[in-house]
Amino acid sequence: MADLDPTRIPRHVGLILDGNGRWANARGLPRTAGHAAGEAALFDTVEGSLELGIEWLTAYTFSTENWSRDADEVEFLMWFNQDLLTRRRDSLADQGVRMHFIGDLADRRIPDHNRKEMEEATELTAGNERLHLVFAFNYGSQREIAAAAATIAKRAASGELSPTEIDEKLFSSFLYLPEMPPLDLVIRSSGEHRLSNFLLWQAAYAEFWFPGILWPDFNRDHLRQAVIEYQGRERRFGGADGP
Ligand code: IPE
Ligand code: IPE
Ligand code: MG
């Protein structure tokens, strides 16, 4: 396998962590045991990102569509996403990680204590800049884009901005986290080949890697493999090949 080129590390990597339920089913365990096992995989991948010098890592932890799962599983995921922040935030803060949360966080179905934990983690790590770790929680890209359009429409209606000013750059500034750079690489585990409403706008020119690994089996070595694969791709951004 080719060696990793430390000068060509993707700036922003997206993770669609999928396959927890199948991992648990294969072991005769409840689906929630798969989510619990996925935590170590996520934080090993965070460590791997720190080692590689990746600047932005966005992990899809709960989608706007995941509310359709059984109430027990949803309740577990709400509790679990809060609990892992409580347990991990100090060590992440010490490692220079800055945490962000994107999604429909005002949704009343998200428990208040969970929302508070997300706010505290954001504040605690606001001064860090080694790695931006973004949790896409109650996130749906279509909702994000619709919300941006609604805000822009309101501003246009009140005369604060003119419709002629609306272009890609202005639109991007109304997304949940305007400073987030475009995605360079999206990894979806479990062998599925779809985005499932993850960062549609931001993935416009991303490269994709779909390893057939269930999320709890994923680790920093797979991340490294993904980066090597990424470095072998030719990114054109609509341009032509060659000189
Ligand atoms: C991903 O694993 C975790 C979340 C969506 C929260 P799944 O729970 O989707 O696992 P599978 O796809 O059913 O195996
Ligand atoms: C996408 O996985 C959402 C997260 C990883 C949080 P899903 O398992 O919900 O996606 P589908 O239903 O297979 O498309
Ligand atoms: Mg799934």
Side-chain angles (χ1 to χ4, degrees):
M1 196 196 280
D3 280 343
L4 184 128
D5 176 353
T7 66
R8 290 175 53 234
I9 298 296
R11 184 168 179 219
H12 185 188
V13 176
L15 296 173
I16 304 176
L17 12 110
D18 196 22
N20 294 348
R22 278 164 279 174
W23 183 94
N25 278 343
R27 286 161 181 75
L29 298 168
R31 294 178 54 83
T32 50
H35 299 314
E39 178 181 340
L42 176 59
F43 289 98
D44 198 62
T45 306
V46 171
E47 300 260 345
S49 302
L50 287 164
E51 286 168 6
L52 291 172
I54 289 168
E55 286 176 46
W56 286 79
L57 184 70
T58 300
Y60 201 8
T61 56
F62 192 87
S63 76
T64 47
E65 288 72 38
N66 286 148
W67 296 104
S68 64
R69 298 187 177 198
D70 281 353
D72 284 356
E73 183 174 351
V74 169
E75 199 185 322
F76 177 87
L77 286 169
M78 288 296 133
W79 167 79
F80 184 62
N81 275 286
Q82 181 202 331
D83 185 56
L84 69 83
L85 291 181
T86 314
R87 289 183 284 101
R88 300 256 182 186
R89 67 170 192 196
D90 290 344
S91 72
L92 288 168
D94 290 346
Q95 285 173 296
V97 174
R98 178 166 181 183
M99 284 191 264
H100 307 267
F101 298 85
I102 56 169
D104 184 357
L105 303 178
D107 190 322
R108 298 320 301 173
R109 291 172 296 181
I110 299 173
D112 281 339
H113 46 84
N114 196 322
R115 196 175 295 103
K116 192 162 161 277
E117 192 68 46
M118 291 191 270
E119 284 163 6
E120 283 177 9
T122 307
E123 268 170 43
L124 177 73
T125 62
N128 288 344
E129 51 189 29
R130 192 168 162 213
L131 169 69
H132 294 266
L133 175 61
V134 186
F135 292 89
F137 182 72
N138 196 27
Y139 177 82
S141 195
Q142 291 179 339
R143 189 167 301 173
E144 175 180 36
I145 291 167
T151 307
I152 292 168
K154 264 188 228 147
R155 303 241 174 133
S158 70
E160 270 175 84
L161 66 83
S162 152
T164 57
E165 291 174 68
I166 303 168
D167 60 7
E168 295 92 322
K169 190 160 176 276
L170 181 125
F171 197 93
S172 295
S173 73
F174 286 90
L175 296 173
Y176 290 137
L177 197 55
E179 65 268 39
M180 175 193 269
L183 278 162
D184 297 303
L185 172 64
V186 174
I187 301 169
R188 181 174 186 143
S189 59
S190 92
E192 307 298 345
H193 295 66
R194 55 178 174 268
L195 278 173
S196 302
N197 209 4
F198 180 64
L199 297 173
L200 306 178
W201 176 283
Q202 298 85 342
Y205 272 101
E207 296 294 329
F208 292 86
W209 194 58
F210 298 108
I213 302 162
L214 300 174
W215 179 255
D217 294 327
F218 196 91
N219 61 40
R220 69 183 84 187
D221 298 332
H222 299 115
L223 176 70
R224 192 182 169 83
Q225 206 181 318
V227 171
I228 291 171
E229 167 78 26
Y230 163 86
Q231 291 180 341
R233 305 266 179 96
E234 186 199 349
R235 301 184 78 190
R236 292 191 179 179
F237 299 99
D241 191 14

